Amino acid sequence: MRLSRYFLPLIKELPTDAAIASHRYMLRAGLIRQNAAGIYSWLPLGRRVLGKIEQIVREEQNRAGAVEMLMPTIQSADLWRETGRYEAYGPEMLRITDRHGRHMLYGPTNEDMITDIFRSCVHSYKGLPQMLYHIQWKFRDERRPRFGVMRGREFLMKDAYSFDLTREEARRSYNRQFIAYLNTFARLGLKAVPMRADTGPIGGDLSHEFIILAGTGESEVFCHADLVEMPAPGHVDFDGDLQPLVDARTALYAATDDMYDADEFAKIPQDRRLSARGIEVGHIFYFGDKYSAPMAAAVMDGDGRPVHVKMGSYGIGVSRLVGGIIEASHDDDGIVWPKTVAPFGAGIINLKVGDEQTDKVSRDIYDRLAVAGIDPLYDDTDDRGGVKFSRMDLIGLPYTVTVGPRGLGDGVVEVKTRATGDRQSLPPGAAIRFITGEFA
RNA sequence: CGGAGUGUAGCUCAGUCUGGUAGAGUACUGCGUUCGGGACGCAGGGGUCGGAGGUUCAAAUCCUCUCACUCCGACCA
């Protein structure tokens, strides 16, 4: 992409309304614009990041055996009345009346709807297990939206739902998502720690929150430091026994403040005790027949008797992750995107647009990086050098190639690694090989 | 929902107490000089002062109502 043709509205001043780093940088770097409290437009750069995160989540869901579908944002109140949640949910649910006076709502979640779909389509245990997911915009009318997309009212969620005949089989579905989450967050460049969670109003007795550690986290967390350093499982056989992998991740103590037990925490060796602030980016739980019973979602078992399916649901806050990643990865100059989610893989700064040689070399590097799938952003504007450098730092692309007459006089360009600040002078060909190698 | 604030130029804000021709910086446009880490000079364009009503000869400023947004707290399948 050529910057001169891109839409990248940056803000130089510190936005006074934004209290935390991710919110400030998302506004300043032109990722989002607020339209109403807790409701944002995703500008081109932000849309790219959101899409990359979404795609990684999708790939890991597919790998774990989940099947993608899509449910609507607007739902009829009828299903919610069946489960009693229409009355129970409270003012966080945005209620809408259509032209015929029918009660509708902007979905805050989809358990009721997916259960309805399932019950009308699957009637035999032979149709189990089943794991469906969708990535969809949701709305919760938060009393006080804040922190930009971290606590917005409209937000993008991945929600998966599992259906099994027995609790034991449901546990296997739960484990599949558990492992998929570890791999997903690792690919996003995050250290996410699973923590035993309160199952809350939705009920059930098997639940974990996935928390990333960041100074501005919304809640305090306590855990064994080894958990943070444990590598993700990576490629595993999702049809095999995942229990040992899950056990390894749940044996050590980890809890959010509402589940905190000082005595348990004290049992951790002193130098391994970690108390920090965390951001919840995923939540998985098993809730059995909480919805299948009231909604009569049953299948015939092998003996011809109807059994309410055992369900679980598994959420990842996709839009929240954009803010979460920035909270975990930024410095005084701007965002530092992990390679896997960066809106562009590399930036190219042409310091003297209009100069035959810098134009040619810049263009050549651009073409070759593009062919290599790096998806470069070429700064071909006639802004001054300083403006270009600080702009690249702000938007946080992993690598920047600077092409200027001075360097080209010696046959070199400069490659800067955003995360470390390292700069190396290399011939153009070596610079391209270095960057493509980093993405291999 | 309790508490505290803020709405004036695209953005950041001053002016409101004490009513009297709407300002600064930045951004933007033009010209010139600059050009390897957010340049400089000159000239210019841009605001029904969140909205409605009221008081007054006169309202950004005083009064009433209202809307929006922000921050702290509580809340947060």
Side-chain angles (χ1 to χ4, degrees), chain A residues 50-51 53-59 61-62 67-71 73 110 132-138 155-161 316-319:
Chain A
L50 194 62
I53 295 171
E54 182 181 336
Q55 184 56 24
I56 287 172
V57 170
R58 174 176 292 118
E59 287 169 12
Q61 286 294 299
N62 293 346
V67 178
E68 186 169 11
M69 59 178 294
L70 187 59
M71 288 178 270
T73 54
N110 289 70
L132 299 167
Y133 76 97
H134 77 334
I135 300 173
Q136 176 63 294
W137 289 95
K138 307 198 164 190
F155 52 95
L156 187 62
M157 284 283 288
K158 183 282 297 183
D159 275 289
Y161 303 95
I316 289 180
V318 177
S319 51

Side-chain angles (χ1 to χ4, degrees), chain A residues 70-250:
Chain A
L70 187 59
M71 288 178 270
T73 54
I74 305 291
Q75 306 183 28
S76 162
D78 295 349
L79 288 173
W80 289 71
R81 291 204 173 94
E82 253 190 87
T83 54
R85 291 217 287 175
Y86 190 66
E87 291 73 22
Y89 213 92
E92 286 207 341
M93 174 155 30
L94 181 64
R95 293 149 208 267
I96 305 167
T97 307
D98 73 9
R99 66 195 297 163
H100 299 109
R102 281 188 283 255
H103 297 290
M104 315 290 286
L105 56 99
Y106 197 118
T109 179
N110 289 70
E111 281 90 0
D112 316 74
M113 180 171 282
I114 192 73
T115 305
D116 177 58
I117 292 168
F118 179 88
R119 70 178 169 185
S120 62
C121 300
V122 181
H123 305 99
S124 163
Y125 73 95
K126 293 174 186 170
L128 297 179
Q130 198 61 256
M131 186 141 62
L132 299 167
Y133 76 97
H134 77 334
I135 300 173
Q136 176 63 294
W137 289 95
K138 307 198 164 190
F139 193 94
R140 277 180 212 156
D141 200 356
E142 298 277 353
R143 279 182 183 141
R144 182 151 104 77
R146 66 185 111 173
F147 304 148
V149 299
M150 302 265 288
R151 182 81 185 280
R153 291 195 290 176
E154 188 182 50
F155 52 95
L156 187 62
M157 284 283 288
K158 183 282 297 183
D159 275 289
Y161 303 95
S162 65
F163 305 87
D164 288 278
L165 188 63
T166 66
R167 194 184 196 289
E168 293 66 40
E169 285 161 14
R171 165 126 211 162
R172 287 205 280 277
S173 296
Y174 185 91
N175 288 347
R176 289 218 303 261
Q177 286 286 337
F178 191 104
I179 300 301
Y181 274 38
L182 294 173
N183 288 339
T184 301
F185 295 125
R187 279 187 66 189
L188 295 173
L190 295 170
K191 294 210 175 291
V193 181
M195 303 204 177
R196 203 178 353 252
D198 188 354
T199 49
I202 205 161
D205 58 338
L206 186 55
S207 176
H208 286 89
E209 289 177 2
F210 287 76
I211 308 274
I212 57 174
L213 305 182
T216 48
E218 59 204 332
S219 57
E220 191 153 20
V221 296
F222 306 85
C223 72
H224 195 296
D226 289 1
L227 270 176
V228 181
E229 291 149 24
M230 223 176 270
H235 287 282
V236 301
D237 175 12
F238 277 96
D239 292 325
D241 182 12
L242 301 175
Q243 196 62 51
L245 288 170
V246 173
D247 288 345
R249 299 291 182 145
T250 53

Side-chain angles (χ1 to χ4, degrees), chain A residues 31 49 322 325-326 329 335-339 341-343 395-398:
Chain A
L31 271 65
V49 176
V322 180
I325 290 168
I326 295 171
S329 184
I335 302 167
V336 182
W337 289 117
K339 286 198 285 279
V341 300
I395 68 175
L397 305 188

